[in-house]
């Protein structure tokens, strides 16, 4: 095994953020793009709804900005919102130039077909049927695979960042194929590792959403912010064989109605926008009705639309439901809320820079200030592309002046043994996800959060002992990171003495007059500039 693998830029995570950043770096830079599993396995691939962008002549940047600020419940940073939205059209043009085939209007083939989603005041969701993430992921992956300067390395799981002289200079990476830890050195390191929704028992996310980048950045000295704001998607398919299948919000945008088991609609009792209210309101309403009635799910009905319309606009949902014996052209879809998006994360600026020199974060792992207390639908893919391009530009402009990485010791596993107690990992993983769901879920109380804090402290001690004695594995690394991020989520939630956006607590049901970010500073804080 080589002592180290050297690149100009190391990108951890091969979703929309990591892929688009890699493709927008100068071709003379050598880039390592690491994927935890096979390519096209992350959250981007499964994103159904689309990407928000100002493309209609009746729409405007100001309108998109104001909608985002309203959804963010007073906590968005206006600079970040304006920066993101003003770059939306050019990012769509870049994606089209790469070959992404967005849907066009059947009556105007020279115009994009735009859909409506909750919180938006205009049709501005550009999409590729109901598999937009897949379309973007496949095109960008193909482009990256064809690029001479990009090495896509699969089945690599990051262990920790390498920090030398106050600068990030690489990372230790577990190669799941060889079962050895490799050392990657680079002048710039990018975290595009996604969110941490796997901290919850029910989630729409794929298995890899374990908060790896957030945990590694915290351990390396970077601030994190607003991790109490976990978005629960209101409509995930409720079926024992469905696991984590998301039913796109665009169904509600096209007239889908949420119904109780007796067939009665209920959203109008919670918000005048009914099904088109922001996700936090819809998720809380569903949670309230499920608990009030003691039912396992509610129902989403789009059967009043024609079969041709549903097959054309929602082929993925139609097919998956049909596989499970649900005909959405004739009957409603059983749905429940599930953890979907991590609105907080690693604190970054508009160039994706973290507190640690040489380290960038893009996509769901970051906290840009765009989402505030509640992410508006389809702003996340936009954020990925905008901030990836901005970070790529900053890396290209500064990397020549960056100091070359110094020699670093190889990973030492001479003092650890192979585990014969993997049941500890699976037990702790299950316990973590269950108490996070019960105590740090859609509706919170001080007592629930304090119980969660007590449980996570005990869990952290067990994990630390296990980590120090046994060889690292994918499951152990994910558990370690998820427990770290869960603890940060709990700390953020306890610090917020109000209800705002996605953070709703029965002890403080009203928002405070002054909206402030919840920022946590690690003991080894590494503030650059």
């Amino acid at each position: 095994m080589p002592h180290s693998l050297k690149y100009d830029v190391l990108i951890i995570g091969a979703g929309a953020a990591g892929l688009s950043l890699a493709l927008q770096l100068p071709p003379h830079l050598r880039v390592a793009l690491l994927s935890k599993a096979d390519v096209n396995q992350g959250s981007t691939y499964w994103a159904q709804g689309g990407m928000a962008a100002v493309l209609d002549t009746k729409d405007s940047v100001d309108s998109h900005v104001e909608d985002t600020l309203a959804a963010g419940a007073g906590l968005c940073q206006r600079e970040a919102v304006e920066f993101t939205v003003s770059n939306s059209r050019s990012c769509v043009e870049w994606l089209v130039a790469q070959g992404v085939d967005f849907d066009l209007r059947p009556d105007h083939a020279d115009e994009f077909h735009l859909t409506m989603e909750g919180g938006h005041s205009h049709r501005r969701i550009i999409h590729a049927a109901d598999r937009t993430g897949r379309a973007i992921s496949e095109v960008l992956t193909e482009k990256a695979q064809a690029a001479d300067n990009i090495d896509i390395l699969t089945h690599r799981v990051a262990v920790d960042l390498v920090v030398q002289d106050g600068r990030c200079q690489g990372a230790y990476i577990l190669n799941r194929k060889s079962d050895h830890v490799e050392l990657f050195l680079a002048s710039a390191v990018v975290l595009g590792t996604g969110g941490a929704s796997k901290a919850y028992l029910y989630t729409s996310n794929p298995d890899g959403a374990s908060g790896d980048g957030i945990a590694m950045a915290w351990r390396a000295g970077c601030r994190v912010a607003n991790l109490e704001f976990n978005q629960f998607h209101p409509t995930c398919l409720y079926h024992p064989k469905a696991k984590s299948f998301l039913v796109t919000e665009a169904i509600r945008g096209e007239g889908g109605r949420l119904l109780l088991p007796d067939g009665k609609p209920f959203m109008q009792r919670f918000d005048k926008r009914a099904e088109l209210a922001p996700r936090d309101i819809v998720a809380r309403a569903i949670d309230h009705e499920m608990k009030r009635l003691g039912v396992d799910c509610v129902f989403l009905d789009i059967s009043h639309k024609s079969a041709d319309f549903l097959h054309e606009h929602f082929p993925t949902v139609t097919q998956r439901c049909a596989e499970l014996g649900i005909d959405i052209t004739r009957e409603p879809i059983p749905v429940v809320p599930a953890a979907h998006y991590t609105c907080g994360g690693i604190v970054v600026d508009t160039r994706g820079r973290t507190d640690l020199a040489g380290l960038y974060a893009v996509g769901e792992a970051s906290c840009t200030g765009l989402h505030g207390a509640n992410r508006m639908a389809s702003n996340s893919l936009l954020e990925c592309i905008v901030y990836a391009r901005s970070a790529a530009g900053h890396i290209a402009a500064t990397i020549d002046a960056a100091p070359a990485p110094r020699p670093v010791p190889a990973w030492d596993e001479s003092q650890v043994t192979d585990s014969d107690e993997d049941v500890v990992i699976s037990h702790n993983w299950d316990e973590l996800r269950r108490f996070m769901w019960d105590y740090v879920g859609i509706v919170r109380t001080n007592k629930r959060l304090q119980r969660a804090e007590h449980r996570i402290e005990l869990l952290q001690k067990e994990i630390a002992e296990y980590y120090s004695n046994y060889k690292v594995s994918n499951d152990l690394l994910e558990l370690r990171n998820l427990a770290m991020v869960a603890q940060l989520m709990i700390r953020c939630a306890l610090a917020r003495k109000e209800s705002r956006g996605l953070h709703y607590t029965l002890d403080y049901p009203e928002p405070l007059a002054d909206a402030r970010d919840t920022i946590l500073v690690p003991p080894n804080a590494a503030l650059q500039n």
Side-chain angles (χ1 to χ4, degrees), residues 453-468:
E453 184 180 39
H454 176 65
R455 296 304 308 152
I456 198 68
E457 287 174 358
L458 295 176
L459 210 56
Q460 285 279 45
K461 291 178 182 177
E462 287 186 21
I463 294 168
E465 181 183 1
Y466 195 97
Y467 182 80
S468 63

Side-chain angles (χ1 to χ4, degrees), residues 397-414:
T398 59
I399 196 165
D400 288 343
R406 295 195 294 106
V408 176
W411 183 258
D412 182 11
E413 54 185 34
S414 61

Side-chain angles (χ1 to χ4, degrees), residues 171-497:
Y172 290 107
I173 307 290
L174 173 65
N175 184 331
R176 294 172 64 185
K177 294 177 181 177
S178 69
D179 203 30
H180 287 292
V181 174
E182 301 166 336
L183 170 61
F184 282 74
L185 297 177
S187 297
V189 178
V190 182
L191 297 172
T193 50
S197 287
K198 203 72 189 295
Y200 289 95
L201 185 60
Y202 301 111
T203 175
S204 66
N205 285 200
D207 287 343
S210 50
D212 302 335
I214 299 171
M216 288 191 297
W218 172 263
R219 290 194 293 264
C222 296
R223 292 172 300 160
V224 298
N226 295 346
L227 283 167
E228 69 270 39
F229 299 115
N230 303 287
Q231 187 173 69
F232 290 80
H233 196 288
T235 54
C236 283
L237 183 60
Y238 179 75
H239 191 281
K241 295 182 180 178
K243 194 177 180 183
S244 59
F245 185 78
L246 181 151
V247 179
T248 174
E249 184 156 358
I251 284 185
R252 286 183 284 124
E254 294 294 344
R257 303 290 305 280
L258 284 165
L259 307 175
L260 297 175
D262 63 3
K264 292 180 181 178
F266 60 90
M267 274 308 305
Q268 73 281 356
R269 291 193 277 109
F270 293 88
D271 193 282
K272 63 182 179 181
R273 292 164 291 187
E275 279 77 9
L276 290 179
R279 288 176 175 175
D280 60 320
I281 295 173
V282 180
R284 275 202 301 276
I286 295 173
D287 183 69
H288 175 85
E289 292 300 294
M290 287 172 57
K291 288 176 178 173
R292 180 178 72 87
L293 297 171
V295 296
D296 293 328
C297 66
V298 296
F299 295 87
L300 178 61
D301 188 19
I302 190 73
S303 62
H304 56 276
K305 291 284 189 178
S306 71
D308 288 344
F309 178 90
L310 296 177
H311 284 292
E312 179 184 354
H313 290 275
F314 307 114
T316 305
V317 176
T318 303
Q319 179 182 340
R320 184 63 180 133
C321 286
E323 292 170 354
L324 299 170
I326 303 165
D327 182 356
I328 75 170
T329 70
R330 296 175 178 271
E331 59 186 316
I333 308 165
V335 294
V336 292
H340 182 57
Y341 192 88
T342 307
C343 287
I346 308 159
V347 174
V348 298
D349 62 14
T350 54
R351 291 169 286 188
R353 298 188 306 165
T354 71
D355 296 330
L356 182 60
L359 181 66
Y360 299 76
V362 288
E364 194 176 350
S366 68
C367 183
T368 64
L370 171 66
H371 305 306
N374 181 21
R375 176 182 74 97
M376 191 166 68
S378 293
N379 268 351
S380 51
L381 276 175
L382 174 62
E383 180 187 47
C384 284
I385 309 300
V386 169
Y387 277 81
R389 182 171 68 177
S390 181
H394 188 266
I395 291 170
T398 59
I399 196 165
D400 288 343
R406 295 195 294 106
V408 176
W411 183 258
D412 182 11
E413 54 185 34
S414 61
Q415 304 300 311
V416 296
T417 61
D418 289 313
S419 170
D420 58 357
E421 293 286 340
D422 282 357
V423 66
V424 175
I425 297 177
S426 60
H427 176 81
N428 286 354
W429 181 278
D430 185 62
E431 181 184 354
L432 170 67
R433 298 181 71 198
R434 286 185 181 278
F435 76 66
M436 286 294 290
W437 182 262
D438 291 338
Y439 299 151
V440 199
I442 296 173
V443 177
R444 300 162 180 177
T445 65
N446 283 341
K447 184 174 289 187
R448 292 175 191 172
L449 291 173
Q450 287 162 1
R451 285 173 177 162
E453 184 180 39
H454 176 65
R455 296 304 308 152
I456 198 68
E457 287 174 358
L458 295 176
L459 210 56
Q460 285 279 45
K461 291 178 182 177
E462 287 186 21
I463 294 168
E465 181 183 1
Y466 195 97
Y467 182 80
S468 63
N469 287 299
Y470 298 108
K471 288 180 66 175
V472 296
S473 66
N474 177 72
D475 289 349
L476 175 58
L477 293 175
E478 288 190 338
L479 175 64
R480 178 185 182 229
N481 290 331
L482 211 51
M484 182 78 264
V485 179
Q487 187 169 43
L488 297 173
M489 289 176 177
I490 295 164
R491 286 181 56 187
C492 284
L494 281 166
R496 186 164 293 279
K497 307 299 183 183

Side-chain angles (χ1 to χ4, degrees), residues 53-61 63-64 121-124:
V54 179
L55 300 168
D56 193 329
T57 54
K58 298 177 183 177
D59 198 3
S60 68
V61 169
S63 177
H64 190 172
S121 59
H122 292 273
R123 284 183 172 265
R124 63 167 69 101

